[in-house]
Amino acid sequence: GITLSPYQANRGNELAKEQGLEDKCSFQVADALDQPFDDNSFDLVWSLESGEHMPDKEKFVNELFRVAAPGGRIIIVTWVHRDLEPGTSLTKKEEKVLRKINRAYYLPRWCSTDDYIKLLEKNGAKNIKRDDWSYVIAPFWKAVIRSSLNLKSIIGLLKSGFSTQRGAYAMFLMLKGFNMGLIKFGMITCTKPEE
């Protein structure tokens, strides 16, 4: 696996070793837009909550395809905005909510599940399937917000600094976006064509 976080890579390797899996999986710091793997390396390429961080969604999808083996499965699970009808766009209110979230979490522009599907089709993807997993993750926001509504958490948040406070505020924005029907937790899967 790859991540931009040295802590996550080290922790992943520690957990793999604890489970006796260090000979089957490893984690390293790398850029998902320029992966350090050969073409056609993996039977399964899984991206979880990464796509929303990618400034170039097309390059991201192209890299997933490049490292997937022919006949391999690609799975993308990511935050997206609602799909748009042809000729329509997000409302000004929706754009404002996304801009605030992007500012809080340092995210680039969002896209929709349909946008990802178009990028997959451009690469020749087969057996494309999609699902909206929002209903599974939405209770998480409410639980996090509820768990933070105690004196100890509020004092900790006040001491934490502006970036953490802004991130906490963004949880309310994520919940608002979900309740508006704007924000989705999309799952897209496909197979890379056999050569």
Side-chain angles (χ1 to χ4, degrees), residues 79 105 134 137-147 170-172 174-179 183-185:
W79 294 104
Y105 288 142
S134 303
I137 202 73
F140 166 76
W141 298 320
K142 292 176 185 172
V144 168
I145 291 167
R146 266 194 316 274
S147 73
M171 288 297 273
F172 289 98
M174 292 288 285
L175 185 57
K176 178 180 181 177
F178 173 74
N179 289 336
I183 294 174
K184 308 288 182 183
F185 195 54

Side-chain angles (χ1 to χ4, degrees), residues 57-114:
K57 308 293 193 246
E58 184 170 14
K59 188 172 183 183
F60 172 59
V61 170
N62 290 348
E63 272 295 278
L64 298 179
F65 255 83
R66 183 185 68 74
V67 301
R73 175 148 310 276
I74 297 167
I75 303 170
I76 303 169
V77 181
T78 188
W79 294 104
V80 293
H81 65 63
R82 68 177 174 84
D83 289 330
L84 302 172
E85 295 297 321
T88 66
S89 58
L90 295 172
T91 66
K92 288 181 181 181
K93 184 178 180 181
E94 290 171 329
E95 289 280 6
K96 185 176 180 181
V97 169
L98 289 178
R99 271 194 311 274
K100 287 180 178 181
I101 293 168
N102 292 351
R103 214 172 16 253
Y105 288 142
Y106 306 99
L107 296 174
R109 193 159 174 80
W110 292 44
C111 69
S112 67
T113 300
D114 279 347

Side-chain angles (χ1 to χ4, degrees), residues 27-58:
F27 301 89
Q28 61 183 297
V29 175
D31 182 352
L33 297 178
D34 187 20
Q35 297 181 32
F37 308 114
D38 293 334
D39 294 357
N40 307 318
S41 291
F42 303 103
D43 294 327
L44 174 65
V45 178
W46 167 270
S47 167
L48 178 62
E49 291 186 300
S50 299
E52 64 271 17
H53 296 275
M54 302 299 153
D56 186 337
K57 308 293 193 246
E58 184 170 14

